[in-house]
Amino acid sequence: MLSLIHQCIAPLLLMYQSIDIAYAFHATSTPPLLDVPVFSLSTLGDGDGDESSSSSSSSPTTMNILTYASPISIKPHRMWSISLYKGTLSHENFARERRGVLQLLRPEHANKRTGGMG
């Protein structure tokens, strides 16, 4: 029986060793260009709505740029799956309020961005 197993496995091992493996991921020095929809997500801070009050315990209202947002349900309620970094004010606000304003951006919005990444 052991001989039969060796007769079956040995050719498979030889075949496996002769296969060239091609990897889908390659190291690059620049990030790849993405052609995906871009969204903005606004989340509400926990202050009283008065932006002039700067309480250290309240978090400000935020707006983020998202490249991962996908609808996952339309009935009974419209729901989206989004990506937010944990530990950010946007994540904190969204986790607390359980809602935000998601807007699909158009190409002309690209030049309207201020602050952030320069």
Side-chain angles (χ1 to χ4, degrees):
M1 180 69 164
L2 192 57
S3 169
L4 180 62
I5 292 173
H6 284 290
Q7 288 176 353
C8 294
I9 292 178
L12 291 176
L13 289 174
L14 289 174
M15 190 168 60
Y16 174 76
Q17 290 174 352
S18 67
I19 295 175
D20 289 332
I21 298 174
Y23 295 99
F25 299 105
H26 303 283
T28 63
S29 60
T30 58
L33 295 176
L34 299 176
D35 188 14
V36 297
V38 177
F39 297 86
S40 69
L41 174 71
S42 298
T43 61
L44 189 59
D46 64 356
D48 59 2
D50 183 11
E51 291 183 11
S52 63
S53 67
S54 58
S55 168
S56 62
S57 64
S58 67
S59 62
T61 298
T62 64
M63 179 175 273
N64 279 44
I65 301 295
L66 300 176
T67 55
Y68 180 81
S70 180
I72 57 172
S73 172
I74 58 173
K75 289 185 181 180
H77 304 287
R78 188 172 302 240
M79 290 177 41
W80 287 70
S81 174
I82 62 172
S83 64
L84 287 174
Y85 285 107
K86 288 184 178 179
T88 63
L89 288 174
S90 293
H91 182 267
E92 179 184 317
N93 290 347
F94 192 79
R96 184 187 60 256
E97 298 294 327
R98 307 300 296 165
R99 64 183 175 166
V101 176
L102 186 66
Q103 175 186 6
L104 176 62
L105 299 179
R106 297 174 48 137
E108 53 266 22
H109 290 119
N111 296 327
K112 305 293 184 204
R113 175 180 71 78
T114 61
M117 300 183 329

